[in-house]
Amino acid sequence: MTEQEEFISFCSAKKGCGMSTATMVLCEDISKEVAQLRGRGESPKKFYNPNRVESISARDAWLLLRKSQ
């Protein structure tokens, strides 16, 4: 079984301003930094999978956080 962690990013702006794109770029950049900092020659893809990214409303995020407690 592999260990899995989650990263939650919060962006607030008008719909259509590129929040989803910005968040995906942020996650990709973070995965590159993590791979480099670990110094094990791992691919950033190990730490970021764009197919597992989901954009949700603030209300849905709140419900998910409550459910996880």
Side-chain angles (χ1 to χ4, degrees), residues 1-68:
M1 186 171 213
T2 54
E3 184 177 318
Q4 182 176 335
E5 294 185 17
E6 297 175 13
F7 173 78
I8 297 175
S9 170
F10 175 77
C11 295
S12 178
K14 290 182 180 178
K15 199 170 192 166
C17 289
M19 292 176 290
S20 296
T21 301
T23 301
M24 291 181 74
V25 170
L26 174 65
C27 290
E28 186 174 359
D29 289 348
I30 289 171
S31 71
K32 290 175 184 175
E33 289 290 323
V34 168
Q36 182 180 355
L37 288 170
R38 286 173 55 105
R40 299 179 186 168
E42 298 163 308
S43 169
K45 291 179 181 180
K46 178 178 179 180
F47 307 103
Y48 170 64
N49 180 348
N51 296 324
R52 298 206 38 157
V53 173
E54 186 175 346
S55 293
I56 60 175
S57 69
R59 180 184 177 278
D60 289 341
W62 182 81
L63 290 173
L64 280 173
L65 290 171
R66 279 197 66 191
K67 185 178 177 181
S68 69

